Amino acid sequence: MADHMRKGATRSETVRAVPASARIHADLRDAIITMALAPGMALQEKQIALAYGVSRTPVREAILKLADERLVDIFPQYGTFVSRISVPEVRDAMVIRNALERTAVREAAARVAATADKDRRGLVEPLNALIRQQRAAHRASALADFHAADEAFHQTISDLAGHPNIWRVIRQEKAHVDRCRLLTLPSHARRTSVIAEHAAVAEAIAAGDADRAEAAMAAHLGRVIPGVAELVASHPDYFEGAPAALPAGATAHHGTARE
């Protein structure tokens, strides 16, 4: 009995054994992307360690990983700050996203086209359900729910295409894009436009029309970069290169922290 209980405890411990650094990284990354931690905000290792009840070592590991992702900037002798949104990295991420999502949407439409008419509705209903969720979130001004449904819509297209890892790659690359998108969500007009764009993509997929689906996705993604210029104008301190982006005389280091 004792051995059995010990084996059970070991399995339970394995399930729960999430390294502190990974948990802290995930929480900080989410806070940065959702703008709960605004660009330019200082991060204090000591305060974070106290909040999590850990030493500063896992906090430093988490911060170094965020620095590798260019979500924080480490300034020796000054401190660690949430990075400004990098416009060049937004552009690079959108090149990657555009290429992968246009491929995914074509393959999703092709899969529907190759499916018997009676089975097509079941394939595309998850997309339509997510659009309904977005409409409900839009009416309620539930911005977090709207964003979650948006993410799920794009992931579902990758799943339907038979390439779920496409969305994993995109998600990793689009952190700076997401920060821009969170700034646009309060706009009623932008949310309305996103819903209409998603509906156009879903309708083309449902019709099994790969060309129309790709064109609809390209139009949807093409709205991101022009919107960034407006965001830079309205939030200059949030973007890389804006005044006060660096403490005077500081040189940023990505991935190397001073003890």
Side-chain angles (χ1 to χ4, degrees):
M1 178 64 73
D3 288 343
H4 174 75
M5 291 179 66
R6 182 58 199 159
K7 288 178 183 177
T10 300
R11 286 195 297 270
S12 178
E13 288 164 4
T14 300
V15 170
R16 295 185 189 133
V18 177
S21 61
R23 181 161 47 95
I24 294 167
H25 169 265
D27 289 349
L28 290 177
R29 189 179 194 276
D30 183 68
I32 291 169
I33 289 174
T34 61
M35 305 296 282
L37 292 175
M41 184 176 291
L43 297 180
Q44 302 292 338
E45 285 187 11
K46 183 177 180 180
Q47 291 179 1
I48 296 170
L50 286 172
Y52 282 87
V54 298
S55 71
R56 294 176 67 170
T57 298
V59 175
R60 188 172 297 113
E61 291 172 355
I63 286 175
L64 288 173
K65 186 172 181 181
L66 291 168
D68 287 341
E69 297 174 292
R70 299 189 65 84
L71 291 174
V72 302
D73 294 323
I74 301 168
F75 301 105
Q77 300 179 347
Y78 286 91
T80 300
F81 301 84
V82 176
S83 71
R84 262 64 183 184
I85 300 170
S86 168
V87 174
E89 290 194 26
V90 170
R91 293 192 179 113
D92 286 348
M94 288 310 300
V95 168
I96 295 168
R97 184 172 184 183
N98 194 51
L100 291 177
E101 289 217 66
R102 286 173 71 166
T103 297
V105 80
R106 286 193 69 89
E107 296 202 18
R111 181 182 174 191
V112 171
T115 301
D117 290 346
K118 64 183 180 64
D119 297 323
R120 287 187 179 187
R121 183 172 181 176
L123 288 179
V124 299
E125 175 54 26
L127 294 175
N128 293 327
L130 288 164
I131 292 171
R132 291 195 294 271
Q133 288 180 28
Q134 279 200 296
R135 289 196 178 105
H138 171 54
R139 289 192 297 268
S141 295
L143 304 187
D145 291 344
F146 185 93
H147 179 66
D150 191 313
E151 294 282 284
F153 179 85
H154 287 272
Q155 181 173 358
T156 299
I157 292 173
S158 293
D159 292 344
L160 180 57
H163 299 295
N165 280 332
I166 281 180
W167 186 247
R168 180 183 59 80
V169 173
I170 292 171
R171 186 177 180 276
Q172 183 64 33
E173 295 295 330
K174 69 184 182 71
H176 287 280
V177 174
D178 282 342
R179 297 166 83 193
C180 291
R181 291 171 64 209
L182 267 294
L183 288 174
T184 68
L185 285 187
S187 168
H188 185 282
R190 181 55 191 147
R191 295 199 307 271
T192 300
S193 179
V194 166
I195 292 169
E197 292 160 17
H198 281 183
V201 171
E203 288 169 7
I205 292 174
D209 189 333
D211 290 340
R212 182 154 63 96
E214 181 182 1
M217 180 63 78
H220 174 49
L221 297 179
R223 295 289 304 278
V224 174
I225 295 299
V228 172
E230 298 173 8
L231 293 174
V232 172
S234 58
H235 302 279
D237 290 346
Y238 280 6
F239 288 83
E240 190 176 71
L246 300 180
T251 301
H253 286 238
H254 299 284
T256 54
R258 176 165 292 190
E259 297 293 329

